[in-house]
Amino acid sequence: MIQNYFKIAWRNLMKNKTFSFINIFGLSIGLTCCLLIALYLNYELSYDKHNHDADRIYQLGTIFVKQQEEIPKPNTPAPMAGMMRQEFPEIEETVRLLGLFAEDKTLIRYNEHNNAATSFYENKGYLTDPAFFRFFQYNFTEGDPLHALDNPNTVVLNEDIAKKLFGKQSALNKVIHISSGTNGESDVIVTGVFKASKAPSHINARFFMAFKGGSMEQYSMRSNNLAYNNMFFTYLKLKKGADAAKLEAKFPAFINKYAGNDLKAAGFYKKQYLTALKDIHLRAKAKDNVTPGGSMTYLYILGSIAIFSLLIACINFMNLSTARSSKRSTEVGIRKVLGANKGSLIGQFLGESLLMSMIAFVLAILLALLCLPAFSAASGKTLYLSLSEHSLIIAGFFVLSVITGLLAGLYPAFYLSSFKPVRILKSKFSNSLAAVSVRKGLVVFQFIISAILIISSVVIANQMSYMRTKDLGFSKDQEIIIPFRSSTAKASYQSLKAELSKLADVQSAGASTYYPGIFNPSDIGLYKEGNTIDNIQLARLNNVDETFIQTLGIQLVAGRLFSKEFPGDTARGIIVNEETVTKLGFASPQEAVGKSVHTNRGATSTVEIVGVIKNFHYEDLHLPITPFAFGLNNRSDYNYLMVHAKTTDMASLIGRITQTWHKLNPAEPLEYNFLDEEFQKNYQAQDRLAAIVKYFTIIAILISCLGLFGLATFSAEQRTKELGIRKVLGASVSNLVVLISKDFIKLVLIAIVLASPIAWWIMNKWLQDFAYRTGISWTVFALSAIIACLIAFITVSTQAIRAAIANPVKSLRTE
């Protein structure tokens, strides 16, 4: 019996190739979307779960409390790890981690037996304690992970770096030279090599250096003050059976005991909190961590897209199956007359549905494998599909396909099997009003989803365009960033700047410790004379030379900028932004100029405001502008030289810069970046979301259009004789096209009206993540409506035109 069902089902598929293709292809596209997004969701939800003791590992974070405002950060001071381990018996072990924050890239050099040195820049480097690899699992190909960082001046490398340095030779015990703006210059011994893991981790490192032996070790040991230097990531491994919540409840007493006086002197308070290792990527209180965290909102958006894509595909199947019912009504009538009961007919139609869903499942697996590289690139994740590792997901999708086939075929099966054979064989069968209404309702639902995705894509594109074009308060175009990593490069600063300033294509050059868009941990506490330290305002601090502010094109509001005519500025002169002036309580920038303000660097320490600049976005547009200050550096230990070009021939200028660099630093490669590109990296997550939403919007529209195409084809077939009569009576092709298309366009317009408030609510919530954002104007909805209607009209009109231009003689001959 079952074999007979599938044989009949296969014959029907072959007989109606167009509708079969639309059903199978639409369903396979829906399943492919679901599978790709399921792999992405599985990847995002599996961060750090591969670590053996993941359930016992917690990250220690800090909540800064200032004037009733609470700001969570994932960092702590260096001494806190050791002090907590001594204080709380629940803690089995601690480890600290520190990114090389003073540079975006680190210079690594290897010179084998006085041969030509191999040198290049690497990113994602970290300093850590010996216990690190007892907390986090890495696949070592060389060395002992448990003791790799026990000794001073040791390093563990990613396999890629080891191959670049040593080729096929063993890396163990090789000595390399690392030049870091954070940890200084040192010769270090390679004690381990690890292979990149497929398992995702919030610590996306390429090399680890031991704290021992570096300049940061000396820096971290200077003081046990727990108020300042909150830049270390601290992890606690609790003993088995320890309760994290109970431990966290003891933190306030610990802070009062060991940091109370220091915090009172600093003018703020802090709380400590724990974040489970598995929650760091998606559920941490602080957004910025070792690597940028994920977003549950994005996962909900993608999950919704996956579900709705599959729903649209199911709706297509149901619509086309019920619409074709009149074509199969005679078959149903004859089968019933010959003795077929309702159950056997339901089994037959469900069998057809299941056959198509199984074909769609196989096709979806193949499509997913083909699309995975492109989807991985768009999402920024290393996604893959493995039968062994993803067997549950594949099995789940097989079950989902079966359920989808059953659900999608359920209504047509019961609907078709309920036909009365007498009415059918007397040609009195017609599609019921209820069936027609259901089809129209499902078409509306399809295009509601498509319209929401179209509106979302337009809003996201507008926000991304807004972020790229918004005036940031400084010149980001034509700015070339040259990093200084080694002591040799830093010492060449004056000569390099002088040589480059002579070039006709260079407008100006200036050096700094940091530049806009990258992490800047330096700050300074300021409060106005007459106020107390309780009124202190923290301002980000960047040490620069006399020409950096001018090179960056930041506008002066009051006072003056740094210059060689005022060498005393190195001791106590600062330049602040307008926000600093407001927060300090000055009535205007002009009033602030020349005033002395106290700092948190000692009871008698003061600085003088020599100039006030316009507010500028030193961080990305997710964050509001906060107080910022520039200090004048009188030492040649800058991290970056900024060069403002005044030519469009950047390649020629880069060539001359390279020549000058190698003349002064022959042993080091030149690594340069462009400021506009570096700043834009802050929006990678949004760029990826925009790309993913765009791609899946296109797919959802494609699936909807397949269904619309099928219904338009069926509608045109049913109205063949009507169209023939109208044409004979003088109706033009355009009249007939409008006649067929208008009913579908009405449904699309209804969908847009219903989708608009839903899309507005969703996108308005998404835009709240940005401190600076574009609005959602009526033009967004108008443009989306035009796009949706145009797509629908083109889809329907292809079949309408075909029906309208058909020879009426052929359609009327059978009458």
Side-chain angles (χ1 to χ4, degrees), residues 426-690:
K426 287 183 177 181
S427 299
K428 292 183 178 181
F429 167 78
S430 63
N431 276 314
S432 69
L433 182 61
V436 174
S437 299
V438 167
R439 282 202 297 276
K440 288 182 177 180
L442 293 176
V443 168
V444 170
F445 181 73
Q446 278 184 314
F447 271 90
I448 286 175
I449 297 170
S450 298
I452 289 172
L453 290 174
I454 292 171
I455 294 168
S456 300
S457 296
V458 174
V459 172
I460 292 172
N462 286 348
Q463 177 65 16
M464 300 310 296
S465 175
Y466 173 79
M467 291 191 296
R468 291 189 185 96
T469 57
K470 179 175 169 54
D471 181 11
L472 299 175
F474 63 88
S475 172
K476 63 182 175 64
D477 299 320
Q478 302 287 100
E479 299 280 3
I480 304 168
I481 307 165
I482 301 173
F484 296 134
R485 291 293 168 262
S486 68
S487 56
T488 304
K490 292 178 187 291
S492 71
Y493 146 68
Q494 291 285 7
S495 300
L496 181 65
K497 178 181 176 181
E499 290 289 326
L500 295 183
S501 297
K502 294 176 185 177
L503 297 177
D505 292 336
V506 172
Q507 182 171 308
S508 63
S512 69
T513 306
Y514 307 100
Y515 61 84
I518 64 170
F519 176 62
N520 177 356
S522 299
D523 56 35
I524 184 172
L526 304 171
Y527 59 100
K528 189 179 176 182
E529 284 191 341
N531 291 340
T532 66
I533 198 167
D534 292 332
N535 303 110
I536 198 168
Q537 297 293 331
L538 286 179
R540 288 291 168 199
L541 178 66
N542 190 10
N543 289 314
V544 299
D545 69 0
E546 299 91 348
T547 55
F548 179 80
I549 297 176
Q550 296 91 318
T551 301
L552 210 55
I554 299 173
Q555 296 182 22
L556 181 69
V557 176
R560 59 177 175 80
L561 299 177
F562 296 134
S563 73
K564 291 184 177 180
E565 298 175 6
F566 299 93
D569 287 343
T570 57
R572 59 189 302 268
I574 62 167
I575 295 173
V576 299
N577 66 349
E578 294 170 303
E579 186 67 15
T580 306
V581 170
T582 302
K583 288 293 179 66
L584 289 177
F586 291 107
S588 67
Q590 289 73 21
E591 181 192 348
V593 172
K595 296 295 191 300
S596 293
V597 292
H598 298 288
T599 77
N600 58 352
R601 297 178 175 177
T604 60
S605 177
T606 61
V607 291
E608 180 187 342
I609 298 175
V610 300
V612 178
I613 55 173
K614 289 197 70 170
N615 286 334
F616 70 100
H617 294 274
Y618 62 91
E619 295 176 298
D620 64 74
L621 298 183
H622 286 97
L623 303 169
I625 292 174
T626 55
F628 196 92
F630 287 105
L632 183 62
N633 189 358
N634 61 355
R635 304 181 305 277
S636 295
D637 60 351
Y638 301 106
N639 291 328
Y640 303 97
L641 180 68
M642 190 77 67
V643 178
H644 185 72
K646 57 177 181 180
T647 177
T648 55
D649 188 3
M650 296 299 288
S652 176
L653 176 58
I654 292 297
R656 288 193 289 274
I657 291 174
T658 303
Q659 291 177 0
T660 306
W661 172 270
H662 286 308
K663 184 170 66 175
L664 297 171
N665 303 285
E668 294 182 26
L670 172 66
E671 184 94 1
Y672 63 89
N673 305 96
F674 295 100
L675 181 57
D676 55 345
E677 294 176 359
E678 291 299 299
F679 201 90
Q680 191 58 34
K681 287 180 181 178
N682 290 296
Y683 307 123
Q684 284 182 341
Q686 287 71 39
D687 284 332
R688 287 167 181 161
L689 176 69

Side-chain angles (χ1 to χ4, degrees), residues 38-58:
L39 291 173
Y40 181 88
L41 297 181
N42 178 69
Y43 186 92
E44 285 288 287
L45 293 170
S46 62
Y47 265 73
D48 298 303
K49 290 184 178 179
H50 62 285
N51 296 294
H52 298 323
D53 297 321
D55 293 332
R56 295 195 288 135
I57 298 173
Y58 294 82

Side-chain angles (χ1 to χ4, degrees), residues 65 103 284 323 360 456 526 562 651 781 807:
V65 184
E103 67 239 42
S456 300
L526 304 171
F562 296 134
F781 302 103
N807 189 344

